[in-house]
Amino acid sequence: TTDAASRVEFINPVAEQLSGWNPAEAKGRDLADILHLVDAASGEPVATPLPQALAENRIVSFGRDVDLIRRDGSRIGIDDSAAPILAADGKISGGVLIFRDVSSARAFTHQRSWDAAHDALTGLVNRREFENLLDIGVATARSAGKHHVVCYMDLDQFKVVNDTCGHAAGDDL
């Protein structure tokens, strides 16, 4: 939780563990000093949603994948939301930022996506993904005036390699 000026007032044990900041060191510091967020894909800095929540007096969440840069420099995927805290008179007295570690869920989703687009044995893209990439390549070539090259290797008689040299040789090939 923070005061109305986004200075940290309290960090619970989970936030302490995820951020790497202990409550005594964080108390009184500006939230931006201790909560460093980046876009998970690009690594570009992302502002915490708390200032927007306080300015608009509403709950605000991220609309993209965000990583928290922990105090030790490591990154973890988080999902978060921010909300104003209202005093008895209805005025904003502070804010609360709630975040949770979504690293495992994000890794699982990424793995499932990779599995759906690749051959388990070779790690090469499967036919459906190849066709998707080919469509993207053709579209970018048309729109950007660029050129691409497709190399095709015909593997007729590949069964002969497996039958004469063994499946291990076929896998290596």
Side-chain angles (χ1 to χ4, degrees), residues 11-110:
I11 292 181
N12 70 16
V14 175
E16 178 182 359
Q17 185 237 347
L18 292 178
S19 71
W21 283 86
N22 74 47
E25 292 176 312
K27 188 170 176 73
R29 294 184 72 131
D30 189 275
L31 182 63
D33 291 341
I34 65 167
L35 194 67
H36 300 109
L37 305 173
V38 295
D39 181 273
S42 69
E44 292 294 316
V46 173
T48 174
L50 188 60
Q52 182 182 357
L54 296 176
E56 298 174 7
N57 193 18
R58 67 181 184 92
I59 297 172
V60 177
S61 299
F62 286 125
R64 58 182 168 185
D65 289 339
V66 174
D67 286 348
L68 168 66
I69 307 294
R70 301 181 71 232
R71 192 169 187 187
D72 66 6
S74 62
R75 286 169 63 154
I76 58 169
I78 64 164
D79 183 25
D80 83 342
S81 62
I85 298 173
L86 303 178
D89 62 3
K91 292 186 179 176
I92 295 175
S93 63
V96 61
L97 184 70
I98 300 167
F99 56 98
R100 63 187 176 98
D101 183 353
V102 295
S103 299
S104 295
R106 198 183 292 165
F108 177 78
T109 300
H110 177 75

